[in-house]
Amino acid sequence: MYTPFAMHLFEFLVVLHVIAGTTGIIAFWGPIVTRKGARNHRNWGKVCCYGFMGAGGLAVVMGLLSLFGPEERIPSFTDRELFAGLFGWMMIYLGLLTIGFADYGLSVVKHARHREALRRPRYQLVMAAVVISAVYCGYYGYGVGNTLMIAVAVLGVVAMAIQELFVWRTRAPSTKAYVGEHFRALIGMGISAYTAFMSVGLIRLVPEHVFNPLIWAGPSVIGVGLIIWFTLQAKQTGNRKSPPRAAPTS
């Protein structure tokens, strides 16, 4: 059961989570609109990542607290198992997923020329934590019949698998391959952070829409759209920079 101290602690963590998450949400658009590789792009990116990593860490702590006495934190929510799933296990998973994306997005640039460094235990443990939490989130969601938990869990497992393929593949990638990895990871970070952020805000602001799939799908739709748009833009830029082929000699 929650004690008054635990209740106040949770409310304090919510405030910190909102501050960190808002910082990340605002800074998230900085790297998108600024010139890639420029100083402003890097500065905005760091603020965004550290803000979201802070929010992700707080989400993990709040998720753990939500596993105990949920009926006391929000008395109107009567389904204890579903509450523990959405605001406990899924919150923990989304927090770890946000941290995992941010960590990989920064690290893949740091080790752009030494991809093997990403095979160190320090990086592998982060991705393993994401996968383990995702699998349990999906398993729990299956047990309570919640498709949302299953869907977000599958996305996380697939995303980590794609990252591991880049890290461990034997064939050397192109010199600019890390750019795509960096971009996809940080867009994924934005998707998971926005989704986790809404799981706290929706229940307070618009509780009648907390299970509306259109609202939950919004960050994913926007994020995937950005990935497609920037991928096409990158291909067009690459085609323009490609030197013309030499005419065949007879």
Side-chain angles (χ1 to χ4, degrees):
M1 293 180 64
Y2 268 2
T3 63
F5 172 76
M7 291 290 288
H8 291 306
L9 174 61
F10 192 93
E11 294 300 325
F12 177 66
L13 292 176
V14 168
V15 172
L16 294 180
H17 178 76
V18 169
I19 293 173
T22 301
T23 301
I25 285 172
I26 294 173
F28 174 75
W29 299 100
I32 292 177
V33 301
T34 54
R35 185 168 61 87
K36 307 303 175 281
R39 183 176 181 179
N40 284 339
H41 175 83
R42 296 194 301 270
N43 290 341
W44 277 111
K46 289 179 181 178
V47 172
C48 171
C49 287
Y50 294 143
F52 278 152
M53 290 176 82
L58 290 165
V60 171
V61 177
M62 290 190 297
L64 290 171
L65 287 175
S66 293
L67 295 176
F68 303 96
E71 73 285 351
E72 297 173 347
R73 187 161 77 80
I74 303 178
S76 61
F77 205 109
T78 56
D79 191 332
R80 182 186 179 93
E81 286 191 342
L82 184 57
F83 185 99
L86 290 175
F87 303 106
W89 296 114
M90 192 172 80
M91 177 77 78
I92 293 170
Y93 156 62
L94 288 174
L96 291 173
L97 180 63
T98 303
I99 294 171
F101 273 137
D103 182 61
Y104 181 76
L106 294 174
S107 301
V108 77
V109 173
K110 180 180 178 181
H111 301 296
R113 300 187 183 279
H114 302 283
R115 179 172 49 98
E116 294 77 11
L118 297 173
R119 301 173 186 174
R120 296 172 184 167
R122 173 255 180 276
Y123 299 110
Q124 291 299 306
L125 285 174
V126 174
M127 287 189 271
V130 175
V131 172
I132 292 171
S133 64
V135 170
Y136 190 79
C137 175
Y139 169 77
Y140 192 99
Y142 177 78
V144 297
N146 186 267
T147 55
L148 175 63
M149 293 183 66
I150 299 172
V152 296
V154 170
L155 288 175
V157 172
V158 171
M160 293 301 108
I162 291 173
Q163 291 180 181
E164 289 286 35
L165 285 174
F166 175 79
V167 172
W168 290 96
R169 68 183 181 183
T170 55
R171 182 171 59 85
S174 66
T175 56
K176 292 294 183 180
Y178 76 92
V179 176
E181 293 293 306
H182 169 74
F183 175 73
R184 281 190 292 273
L186 297 188
I187 290 294
M189 173 193 70
I191 293 173
S192 61
Y194 268 82
T195 304
F197 199 60
M198 286 194 307
S199 69
V200 175
L202 281 178
I203 191 64
R204 295 169 178 271
L205 299 177
V206 284
E208 66 274 13
H209 291 293
V210 71
F211 297 120
N212 187 332
L214 295 178
I215 294 178
W216 285 91
S220 296
V221 172
I222 295 172
V224 171
L226 285 171
I227 289 175
I228 294 173
W229 186 68
F230 277 105
T231 300
L232 293 175
Q233 190 180 54
K235 286 184 178 180
Q236 291 175 355
T237 302
N239 290 337
R240 287 196 298 268
K241 291 182 178 180
S242 297
R245 293 182 179 180
T249 56
S250 56

